[in-house]
Amino acid sequence: MLEKIKTPKDVKKIPLNKLPKLATEMRAALLNRVSKIGGHVGPNFGSVEATIALHYVFDCPTDKIIFDVSHQSYPHKLLTGRAFGFLNEKDFNKVSGYTNPYESKYDMFAIGHTSTSISLAIGVAKARDLKKQKYNVIAFIGDGSLSGGEALEGLSAINELKSKFVVILNDNNMCMAEDHGGLYNSLKILRNTNGKSVNNIFKSMGYEYLFVKKGNDINDLINAFRKASKSQKPIVVHICTIKGKGLLYAEKDKEPWHYKMPFNPKTGELANKVSETYSSIVKNYILTKAKKDKDFLVITSATPGSAGLDKRAREQLGKQFIDVGIAEQTAAAVAGGAAVNGAKPLWTINSTFIQRAYDQISQDICLNNAPVAIACMFNGVYSLRDMTHLGFFDIPLLCNIPNLVYIAPSTKQEFLCALDYAVNQKQHPVIVRAPGGPIVSSRKKCIKDFSKTNQYEIIQKGSKVAIIGVGSMYQLAKETVALYKNKFKDKLTLINPYFLTGYDVKTLDSLKKDHKLIITIEDGVLDGGYGEKITRYFGKTNIKVLNYGLKKEFLDRFDLEKVLKANHLKPELIIQDIRKYILKWPY
């Protein structure tokens, strides 16, 4: 049945009593893909019936469906001509894990960050109204996204629209982990009263409201969506679904099954177990620190998993832990407030999400010089590879904010040392960038004194050429120096700078005596990055500076090796560039 569906119109041809069979086939296709290459499991398994009902009632692409985060859009893709990306292993990478207008006319936006659907949909609806068109605009939101500030702003702004607009609230009683915040207490009351409670935030904001208790019942959903499609006013359809529906182990233990790496489809066991990650390293640090220091506070904005904080760990932390929901701006401000009032806050966040809180980091933290510690996880080219979740924009974003100290360790030991410094110091806001790629352990204790900010370390003293390897890219710099010596017998200078936000004037000036070429290598985009600062420093001298990093672009599902080669982030390619310069010099 699924293979015969090429467009949503084919869904409408299926008899109602056959739709549950379609749902079963769709879940089999989902399992085929996510078990082999990983992906969002719980959100997609839980939204199968709602997606079938959506396409049974509405007329996409004439009617516009905007998925929030869009990590629950796999079923939508199955019904819009992209089932091949779930059924055929060779085609998996042809279909993104998020909505993508470059991929299909049935996707209106490339979306991977949360709480945006309602606001985007308001813009779509406003353009529709200006053109005096009549189609439906539907915002599909769930998985805790309603806690994000933009979602609430959007809900409020719809009141200005005064025309037909559908919000489908997919309430599965979960975020990535459990839901947090008073808003979800209100949803719980609505669930427990079958939508009849007078405590109804949507009605108080002027919405019409429909409640669907059985949000995985196709018939109930179709009936509700039909009513919603006829409304001429903004309406919220509140559907109660089961996250992970149809996959027993995902239903039973919802949190770890929000997203999963490749696994055994029968047992749910991971295909490749990793004994240690930077998430587990942060977790162990946090639990140890919390026992020793009662002023220590851990903050997360709906992503406790980035720091390895499973339910048991969160229970151990007790009042020393707060999850503010999908609200990065609030997390930054909470951290700033806690630091100013004497606590030792550590906010753990993924690089791709930190950009959502730029203003609060700048204003509420840095302007007030609040000694907040931030662990920035999943950074650089070695990390997440969907264009919606890239982790290599953080260096230019953050390194130009006054008062901020940004540290880029290169090993596990340096990371732990920098993290402990960040938490305990009282002088600055400090961000510690977790290294990307495989964990590198120096097997010796880090003795670096990070309180002496902007002091680089010369690992090897050479002449003529100096290579400065930043964070994750220090290992590449080290390999390049070793290969160069092996090939040409010349000893190059190797520097670990640690600090991204300032100059070590003494070290840089020392290079002017006997160096002609400085090379910087960073795990981020070059425009506005660390390397450009070094280039500017040497701008009035005769010393040449070569910057290595990433081109400023949105990469999508990229091949790591191809990207590294394209940007000359390989020892042999860097050496080729060095030799081109050296051959021009008189020695």
Side-chain angles (χ1 to χ4, degrees):
M1 191 182 298
L2 182 58
E3 290 175 303
K4 294 177 182 178
I5 295 175
K6 304 303 179 185
T7 74
K9 290 182 179 179
D10 295 324
V11 179
K12 301 177 189 296
K13 300 173 185 176
I14 301 173
L16 281 170
N17 64 346
K18 298 289 186 182
L19 292 178
K21 181 179 183 298
L22 174 61
T24 300
E25 289 188 14
M26 289 170 68
R27 287 195 168 93
L30 293 175
L31 186 60
N32 182 54
R33 176 184 166 113
V34 296
S35 65
K36 289 185 173 74
I37 65 169
H40 287 92
V41 179
N44 288 295
F45 274 76
S47 61
V48 168
E49 287 83 6
T51 307
I52 292 172
L54 265 176
H55 286 298
Y56 201 85
V57 172
F58 295 101
D59 295 312
C60 185
T62 302
D63 290 328
K64 313 300 182 187
I65 304 171
I66 294 102
F67 290 91
D68 210 281
V69 186
S70 80
H71 63 213
Q72 77 286 61
S73 65
Y74 294 9
H76 164 74
K77 296 193 175 202
L78 287 170
L79 301 180
T80 52
R82 289 169 279 178
F84 61 87
F86 296 80
L87 299 172
N88 308 318
E89 190 167 351
K90 64 181 177 62
D91 293 327
F92 285 166
N93 202 45
K94 293 179 182 178
V95 176
S96 166
Y98 303 89
T99 54
N100 188 333
Y102 307 109
E103 179 182 285
S104 171
K105 66 179 181 180
Y106 296 102
D107 297 352
M108 198 164 189
F109 296 100
I111 297 174
H113 284 189
T114 185
S115 310
T116 65
S117 62
I118 296 173
S119 299
L120 285 170
I122 291 172
V124 172
K126 191 65 179 176
R128 172 203 64 193
D129 294 348
L130 290 174
K131 296 176 183 179
K132 297 183 179 180
Q133 296 169 329
K134 301 296 182 183
Y135 55 81
N136 283 286
V137 177
I138 305 104
F140 190 100
I141 186 168
D143 290 297
S145 295
L146 208 59
S147 63
E150 188 181 351
L152 298 174
E153 291 166 3
L155 279 174
S156 178
I158 290 175
N159 193 51
E160 301 300 312
L161 197 62
K162 296 179 173 55
S163 61
K164 60 190 302 181
F165 189 97
V166 180
V167 175
I168 296 174
L169 172 58
N170 180 18
D171 180 6
N172 54 29
N173 198 25
M174 287 289 291
C175 188
M176 275 69 85
E178 69 272 10
D179 284 322
H180 288 275
L183 176 66
Y184 288 95
N185 292 332
S186 177
L187 294 187
K188 183 178 180 181
I189 292 170
L190 287 171
R191 286 197 303 272
N192 292 342
T193 61
N194 292 327
K196 296 177 181 178
S197 171
V198 294
N199 181 13
N200 189 316
I201 185 174
F202 307 110
K203 285 186 176 180
S204 69
M205 295 178 80
Y207 288 89
E208 293 184 352
Y209 175 82
L210 290 173
F211 180 79
V212 182
K213 185 175 183 63
K214 297 179 180 179
N216 292 104
D217 184 294
I218 295 175
N219 286 327
D220 287 359
L221 289 165
I222 287 174
N223 290 334
F225 291 170
R226 279 175 173 162
K227 291 178 183 177
S229 70
K230 296 173 183 176
S231 175
Q232 297 304 307
K233 297 179 180 179
I235 183 169
V236 170
V237 185
H238 182 179
I239 66 175
C240 300
T241 62
I242 299 170
K243 194 165 186 174
K245 172 73 174 175
L247 197 60
L248 293 180
Y249 42 79
E251 283 189 42
K252 184 179 179 181
D253 198 8
K254 293 180 174 61
E255 182 178 333
W257 285 96
H258 175 80
Y259 180 94
K260 209 72 170 177
M261 296 301 286
F263 59 92
N264 184 317
K266 292 183 179 179
T267 65
E269 292 183 3
L270 285 175
N272 300 300
K273 293 184 179 180
V274 180
S275 58
E276 187 177 52
T277 64
Y278 276 104
S279 294
S280 67
I281 290 169
V282 173
K283 172 186 174 180
N284 292 335
Y285 171 81
I286 285 172
L287 294 178
T288 301
K289 179 66 175 173
K291 288 178 182 178
K292 296 178 180 178
D293 191 340
K294 295 307 175 184
D295 289 334
F296 179 57
L297 170 66
V298 180
I299 302 166
T300 183
S301 35
T303 54
S306 66
L309 297 177
D310 53 26
K311 188 173 183 179
R312 183 179 178 185
R314 298 194 297 269
E315 289 172 350
Q316 285 180 255
L317 290 169
K319 291 184 178 180
Q320 289 178 271
F321 172 81
I322 180 171
D323 189 331
V324 299
I326 303 178
E328 291 85 359
Q329 292 176 307
T330 291
V334 167
V340 167
N341 204 31
K344 297 178 181 178
L346 172 63
W347 175 26
T348 65
I349 183 169
N350 294 352
S351 172
T352 185
F353 300 133
I354 204 167
Q355 62 206 41
R356 290 165 55 86
Y358 181 86
D359 190 56
Q360 276 59 45
I361 292 171
S362 178
Q363 294 283 312
D364 298 336
I365 294 177
C366 294
L367 183 63
N368 289 280
N369 206 26
V372 171
I374 302 174
C376 188
M377 312 296 291
F378 296 99
N379 304 284
V381 72
Y382 297 106
S383 185
L384 306 176
R385 299 182 191 177
D386 285 285
M387 67 177 175
T388 56
H389 282 68
L390 300 174
F392 47 70
F393 296 115
D394 56 291
I395 296 176
L397 180 81
L398 298 166
C399 286
N400 298 302
I401 304 176
N403 294 335
L404 181 66
V405 175
Y406 199 0
I407 302 174
S410 66
T411 67
K412 169 185 173 181
Q413 287 74 19
E414 291 173 3
F415 176 70
L416 283 170
C417 189
L419 193 63
D420 198 49
Y421 157 72
V423 169
N424 289 308
Q425 59 83 39
K426 292 293 183 181
Q427 287 75 44
H428 321 277
V430 179
I431 301 180
V432 181
R433 195 175 199 256
I439 290 175
V440 176
S441 179
S442 64
R443 301 189 183 278
K444 61 181 180 180
K445 186 177 181 181
C446 173
I447 58 172
K448 173 69 177 175
D449 184 357
F450 287 101
S451 68
K452 297 176 180 178
T453 56
N454 302 327
Q455 287 193 8
Y456 302 170
E457 186 175 351
I458 299 178
I459 307 299
Q460 173 179 294
K461 183 69 173 71
S463 62
K464 298 177 183 174
V465 179
I467 301 184
I468 305 175
V470 178
S472 308
M473 291 301 176
Y474 172 75
Q475 303 307 322
L476 172 57
K478 186 177 177 181
E479 290 173 27
T480 303
V481 167
L483 182 60
Y484 195 91
K485 185 177 183 183
N486 184 52
K487 280 190 170 187
F488 303 105
K489 310 306 178 186
D490 284 345
K491 191 176 182 181
L492 307 186
T493 297
L494 175 64
I495 297 174
N496 187 343
Y498 301 107
F499 296 95
L500 295 168
T501 39
Y503 298 112
D504 181 345
V505 173
K506 183 178 179 181
T507 296
L508 294 178
D509 282 350
S510 73
L511 300 178
K512 296 176 183 178
K513 299 174 184 177
D514 53 1
H515 288 75
K516 296 186 176 183
L517 177 64
I518 311 295
I519 289 173
T520 66
I521 314 175
E522 61 193 294
D523 191 5
V525 296
L526 289 171
D527 289 29
Y530 172 81
E532 286 193 354
K533 297 181 189 303
I534 301 301
T535 302
R536 187 169 69 248
Y537 189 85
F538 287 105
K540 293 182 180 180
T541 73
N542 292 324
I543 295 174
K544 296 289 186 182
V545 183
L546 293 181
N547 301 141
Y548 290 86
L550 299 168
K551 180 183 176 183
K552 184 178 68 176
E553 59 182 335
F554 289 115
L555 296 170
D556 191 26
R557 292 162 284 162
F558 59 86
D559 181 287
L560 177 61
E561 284 301 306
K562 288 182 179 178
V563 170
L564 292 176
K565 287 180 180 178
N567 290 281
H568 274 216
L569 292 168
K570 290 287 184 179
E572 60 276 12
L573 297 177
I574 295 173
I575 288 173
Q576 284 178 18
D577 293 339
I578 292 174
R579 296 305 293 176
K580 287 178 184 177
Y581 275 84
I582 285 180
L583 292 174
K584 299 175 184 177
W585 297 341
Y587 279 96

